[in-house]
Amino acid sequence: MKKATNVLLSVMLLTIMLIINSGTAKLSEEESQKEFKDKSEINKEYLVDIDLLEQMGIMGGYEDNTFRPKEKMTRAEMAKIAYKLTNKGKEEEKSVEKSAFKDVEEWHWAKGYINYCKEKGYINGVGENRYESEREITLKEVSLILNRIMPEYKKYDNIGAPQREKEEEAIATAEATRERIAKLIYEAI
């Protein structure tokens, strides 16, 4: 399974490199017509990252055609992104009967994603078999999840702390907005 994941990630990285090298890092004509209504609110530094993650089906916007770049992300939303990152952007949830955490209700929209990520070891609970799916995720937690999915991602060490002191301070104080999380994910792949 680890070999298959590495092959998948290599293919995704090669695809990104081909897109960038061919000068077509912009959205296709069809997709560019569905630009986010709040695109002007996205920091220019994150635009290409967000566009490519959306094209790959890993991270997109909301049903109202917004991205909400300055909003925080929940732990449930990150579980969905982790699932999609490891399943070629597929949207389907893994079918499960019982929730892996006692505080994730059987009807919760992300139950399948959360259970899949727990089963694979990508996410952990917060103690007492709880996940706190609607709590805002931190950049440190995002980096931990990325390390578990892609151990070769060396920007952050095994405990999620950045390797350099300056980065450590930045990650500790930066808000975990959707656009910053997109940047971390883009850097990881």
Side-chain angles (χ1 to χ4, degrees):
M1 181 66 182
K2 185 175 182 178
K3 196 173 201 177
T5 301
N6 287 340
V7 170
L8 170 65
L9 294 172
S10 296
V11 169
M12 291 172 69
L13 181 59
L14 179 61
T15 303
I16 291 171
M17 290 170 58
L18 289 172
I19 290 171
I20 292 171
N21 288 336
S22 67
T24 59
K26 294 182 179 180
L27 290 171
S28 69
E29 191 173 313
E30 180 182 315
E31 290 171 320
S32 67
Q33 292 175 356
K34 95 177 205 204
E35 285 186 7
F36 298 118
K37 293 177 191 176
D38 56 354
K39 186 174 184 175
S40 63
E41 296 174 29
I42 299 172
N43 185 321
K44 288 181 175 54
E45 156 185 8
Y46 305 123
L47 278 173
V48 170
D49 308 339
I50 292 167
D51 286 348
L52 289 174
L53 290 175
E54 188 201 14
Q55 283 183 18
M56 295 170 69
I58 295 170
M59 183 177 182
Y62 292 93
E63 290 179 5
D64 65 355
N65 204 27
T66 59
F67 185 76
R68 304 177 194 165
K70 308 299 185 218
E71 281 191 15
K72 306 281 179 39
M73 184 178 291
T74 66
R75 291 167 52 87
E77 289 172 312
M78 187 62 206
K80 179 179 179 180
I81 289 171
Y83 174 91
K84 292 171 83 175
L85 186 60
T86 58
N87 288 282
K88 301 180 186 177
K90 289 183 183 172
E91 188 69 39
E92 308 83 48
E93 294 182 42
K94 184 174 179 173
S95 177
V96 292
E97 292 182 19
K98 186 175 180 188
S99 178
F101 295 99
K102 69 180 182 182
D103 65 335
V104 177
E105 300 293 335
E106 295 300 316
W107 49 261
H108 193 282
W109 69 268
K111 179 187 78 174
Y113 300 120
I114 292 167
N115 283 0
Y116 173 85
C117 290
K118 172 145 175 47
E119 179 184 306
K120 296 293 184 185
Y122 303 148
I123 62 170
N124 291 322
V126 295
E128 299 177 9
N129 197 31
R130 292 177 303 112
Y131 183 63
E132 296 182 355
S133 59
E134 298 309 311
R135 181 174 60 77
E136 293 173 354
I137 196 160
T138 66
L139 288 179
K140 182 176 180 177
E141 290 171 320
V142 172
S143 66
L144 281 168
I145 291 168
L146 293 175
N147 280 329
R148 291 176 186 134
I149 292 171
M150 298 169 277
E152 66 279 3
Y153 176 55
K154 299 295 184 199
K155 182 163 183 163
Y156 301 95
D157 66 20
N158 290 334
I159 59 166
Q163 294 173 350
R164 295 191 315 246
E165 191 174 310
K166 185 177 179 182
E167 287 183 353
E168 186 174 313
E169 185 178 330
I171 202 97
T173 59
E175 289 186 322
T177 61
R178 288 177 45 81
E179 64 186 2
R180 284 195 176 119
I181 291 170
K183 181 74 170 175
L184 282 180
I185 295 167
Y186 176 81
E187 288 175 353
I189 59 174

